[in-house]
Amino acid sequence: MSDVTVDVFELGSEHEQVVFCNDAATGLKAIVAIHSTALGPALGGTRFYPYASTADAIQDVLNLSRGMSYKASLAGLDLGGGKAVIIGDPATLKSEALLRAYGRFVQSLGGRYYTACDVGTFSADMDDVARECSYVTGRTVAHGGAGDSSVLTAYGVFEGMRAAAEVAWGAPSVAGRVVGVAGVGKVGRHLVRHLIEDGASVVVTDVHRPSVERVLDEFPQVTVAGSTEELVATPLDIYAPCALGGALTDEVVEVLSARIVCGAANNQLAHPGVEKMLEERGVLYAPDYCVNSGGLIQVADELEGFSFDRAQQRASGIFDTTRNVFELAARDGVPPAVAADRLAERRMRDVGRLRGIWLSNGA
Ligand SMILES: NC(=O)c1ccc[n+]([C@@H]2O[C@H](COP(=O)([O-])OP(=O)(O)OC[C@H]3O[C@@H](n4cnc5c(N)ncnc54)[C@H](O)[C@@H]3O)[C@@H](O)[C@H]2O)c1
């Protein structure tokens, strides 16, 4: 990808605004992409990552910001979709001055974009960004923030999985089922707890051995597969991809024995068309952005002054949302991934158009 010329207007033809931010003294090179503000200010995290090229960074921020519009819409939030990337290795480049410079650029957008954590950024970084900027969420608990968003992400994935189980087996429970979890990091670990508590047998895998050990310390009954390839080839009722994107390749779908796929990872479908392959093989796919919106719900709640109970209550709605997606898919005769897009687009259109009713306060 890195040697390809990227036309930002072509690739971002659906996007409202893309902002390039440069501060040579701190080494800050950031791109903020606002996909849609149809439902409210764009919200999405800041990914701090050593992209091989600016073209790669542009591609990533455009894809990610679009995904956030759909996620926020389907989750019923009054938020649009945006995302930011900072180009560079966070281990060597991140500094207070860089984060504050970034904060000033986000501030300059006047609230059209709210930032949060993502790969390479943490709640403490958001505290630094917030020293220059009012439009920050995902801050530390000490600063009134929501803290670790993986708690409600895992909870939401579990709720989505229960809705899928109801469709597949008639009861909203994973009791007695075998669930494979690929990636037991922040989200996967919490998900394992929900699964065990509900009575499932759990098989995990992770490339990072300490993450596996941590799960085994807590739940000795969990079994371990040597690799993701080994996990997907074992007999499973449910497969939960909780590591990186692109988990559902043609090869994986071909060997998968699971009846349900439901996990936390973003962008699980390796390419368009995989959703049809899953359907043809009788696999019920719970769309990633439908079931993994618990973290977004958690940080969005912070904008009202964080209440964990209120956020958890809202995240429990992922059960009904997932059920609605499956219902629409059955009614329209389309894969659930297509149904989720239709529901998200419908809300952006129907609620977004209300801004056309003029109010004297300019809202
Ligand atoms: N944290 C959240 O609130 C949140 C919200 C929405 C979506 N997600 C998505 O969920 C996924 C997991 O997020 P996380 O916060 O738990 O990240 P994490 O980095 O804490 O955990 C990911 C785990 O996957 C493991 N892993 C990486 N490559 C692997 C491979 N090839 N095979 C097996 N394991 C592998 C890593 O070692 C790590 O333990 C990501 O795709 C993330 O984008 C997270």
Side-chain angles (χ1 to χ4, degrees):
M1 175 63 242
S2 49
D3 54 350
V4 176
T5 307
V6 162
D7 180 336
V8 70
F9 284 106
E10 196 180 304
L11 264 183
S13 61
E14 283 182 15
H15 291 67
E16 290 179 15
Q17 191 177 10
V18 181
V19 181
F20 292 80
C21 316
N22 187 48
D23 182 55
T26 57
L28 175 75
K29 284 185 187 159
I31 311 171
V32 180
I34 297 176
H35 173 262
S36 167
T37 56
L39 294 176
L43 191 151
T46 302
R47 184 163 293 194
F48 203 142
Y49 188 78
Y51 291 98
S53 70
T54 305
D56 284 359
I58 292 171
Q59 188 112 51
D60 207 29
V61 78
L62 292 175
N63 283 340
L64 291 165
S65 57
R66 183 176 187 280
M68 291 308 295
S69 294
Y70 281 73
K71 192 184 295 199
S73 177
L74 197 59
L77 298 169
D78 291 335
L79 292 169
K83 199 88 180 184
V85 295
I86 297 177
I87 301 170
D89 183 352
T92 51
L93 192 63
K94 197 188 284 177
S95 66
E96 178 198 335
L98 179 143
L99 291 168
R100 293 181 71 155
Y102 172 64
R104 292 182 75 83
F105 284 112
V106 174
Q107 181 71 11
S108 77
L109 296 172
R112 281 177 50 72
Y113 167 67
Y114 278 75
T115 198
C117 305
D118 194 69
V119 174
T121 55
F122 300 89
S123 294
D125 298 331
M126 291 307 122
D127 287 343
D128 274 341
V129 174
R131 291 161 84 174
E132 303 291 340
C133 178
S134 323
Y135 309 111
V136 184
T137 181
R139 296 190 61 188
T140 58
V141 175
H143 285 95
D148 180 4
S149 65
S150 60
V151 175
L152 286 188
T153 301
Y155 174 65
V157 170
F158 178 64
E159 287 300 295
M161 201 180 275
R162 289 199 315 113
E166 187 183 58
V167 171
W169 300 303
S173 165
V174 296
R177 307 287 169 193
V178 180
V179 186
V181 182
V184 280
K186 294 190 289 293
V187 180
R189 189 168 59 85
H190 291 299
L191 180 62
V192 169
R193 179 170 39 81
H194 290 297
L195 298 172
I196 299 275
E197 283 171 2
D198 197 36
S201 302
V202 179
V203 192
V204 304
T205 190
D206 197 297
V207 287
H208 186 58
R209 189 65 206 177
S211 299
V212 174
E213 297 296 342
R214 197 168 161 186
V215 168
L216 287 175
D217 283 349
E218 214 175 334
F219 305 106
Q221 67 270 54
V222 164
T223 51
V224 180
S227 65
T228 301
E229 293 71 30
E230 201 181 305
L231 179 77
V232 295
T234 48
L236 297 173
D237 295 308
I238 303 172
Y239 174 44
C242 294
L244 305 178
L248 301 173
T249 59
D250 297 13
E251 294 74 26
V252 167
V253 176
E254 245 154 56
V255 298
L256 202 61
S257 58
R259 171 76 178 90
I260 291 171
V261 173
C262 178
N266 281 310
N267 302 325
Q268 288 171 31
L269 303 171
H271 62 81
V274 177
E275 72 284 357
K276 287 198 199 75
M277 285 182 64
L278 285 161
E279 187 148 86
E280 280 158 19
R281 294 220 55 231
V283 180
L284 187 64
Y285 171 62
D288 44 18
Y289 72 80
C290 172
V291 299
N292 76 10
S293 61
L296 173 62
I297 290 169
Q298 184 167 333
V299 294
D301 190 86
E302 195 177 314
L303 302 176
E304 297 177 49
F306 186 58
S307 154
F308 183 83
D309 290 344
R310 184 177 57 208
Q312 184 172 31
Q313 181 60 32
R314 175 150 230 160
S316 65
I318 292 172
F319 180 88
D320 284 338
T321 307
T322 311
R323 200 192 235 169
N324 291 343
V325 166
F326 291 138
E327 273 171 16
L328 181 71
R331 204 169 61 229
D332 287 5
V334 294
V338 175
D341 285 356
R342 285 185 185 173
L343 281 176
E345 283 162 6
R346 186 187 300 167
R347 182 164 177 265
M348 277 188 254
R349 192 181 56 238
D350 292 354
V351 178
R353 67 159 275 286
L354 299 178
R355 304 283 174 83
I357 300 171
W358 186 82
L359 294 176
S360 58
N361 67 5

